[in-house]
């Protein structure tokens, strides 16, 4: 990321591949209904990941995100219902770089500054499905319960063959396994 926008859940700001691609978010995740705002006092920035909490009414979302060495951006969501009744939410992930696809994956491609390379972009989410140029998932969370899920985006470059392998690995991992794998690799 060239510039991070913490108001956007996901990878908001200006995504870069050595330089800003075109000054847009990598991807954004919205939850509705509600207006989820960051609880900045709970923000944590570590060398290998970023974590914060967003809240709307009785629902709290702990967001943990990281970017791997091989260009995979991952956002883990732990959605907790602190209320006394079930909460039903729609999660939607969108990206200006991946908007066509089927099943649970969107794809696209984009050039980078000075024509250095062309990236194949892939966006997926655990339990999400393609709908109207984005990925959607409906969840109902019982009172006092937490649901975990994740969204992953690969910026796949032919000159980095491991970028495709890493994307598939992180896409298929559970949120906890994806995070643990990344932190272990980062701290080698």
């Amino acid at each position: 990321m060239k510039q991070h926008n913490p108001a956007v859940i996901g990878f908001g700001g200006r995504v870069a591949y050595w330089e800003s691609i075109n000054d847009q978010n990598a991807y954004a995740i919205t939850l509705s209904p509600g207006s989820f705002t960051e609880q900045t006092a709970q923000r944590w920035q570590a060398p290998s990941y970023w974590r914060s909490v967003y809240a709307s009414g009785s629902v709290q979302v702990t967001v943990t995100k990281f970017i791997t060495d091989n260009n995979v951006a991952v956002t883990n969501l732990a959605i907790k219902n602190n209320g006394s009744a079930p909460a039903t939410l729609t999660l939607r992930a969108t990206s200006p770089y991946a908007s066509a696809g089927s099943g649970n994956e969107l794809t696209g491609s984009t050039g980078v500054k000075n024509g250095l390379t062309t990236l194949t972009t892939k966006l997926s989410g655990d339990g999400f499905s393609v709908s109207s140029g984005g990925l959607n998932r409906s969840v109902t969370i019982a009172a006092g319960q937490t649901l975990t899920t994740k969204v992953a985006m690969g910026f796949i470059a032919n000159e980095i063959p491991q970028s495709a392998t890493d994307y598939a690995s992180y896409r298929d991992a559970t949120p906890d396994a994806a995070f643990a794998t990344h932190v272990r690799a980062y701290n080698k």
Side-chain angles (χ1 to χ4, degrees), residues 127-153:
F128 287 69
S129 59
V130 172
S131 177
S132 301
L135 297 171
N136 287 1
R137 180 177 179 184
S138 179
V139 298
T140 299
I141 306 165
Q145 298 300 304
T146 301
L147 175 135
T148 59
T149 190
K150 75 170 186 326
V151 172
M153 183 163 200

Side-chain angles (χ1 to χ4, degrees), residues 27-82:
Y27 60 87
I29 304 166
T30 57
L31 297 90
S32 59
S35 179
F36 287 83
T37 55
E38 184 190 10
Q39 309 303 296
T40 56
Q42 296 188 54
R43 186 185 297 172
W44 173 258
Q45 174 70 54
S48 59
Y49 68 94
W50 184 92
R51 178 175 289 151
S52 197
V53 175
Y54 296 77
S56 179
S58 63
V59 178
Q60 174 180 302
V61 183
T62 300
V63 175
T64 304
K65 60 186 177 179
F66 54 90
I67 301 174
T68 72
D69 276 350
N70 291 309
N71 305 326
V72 183
V74 180
T75 303
N76 287 349
L77 306 168
I79 308 165
K80 184 174 184 184
N81 178 3
N82 292 312

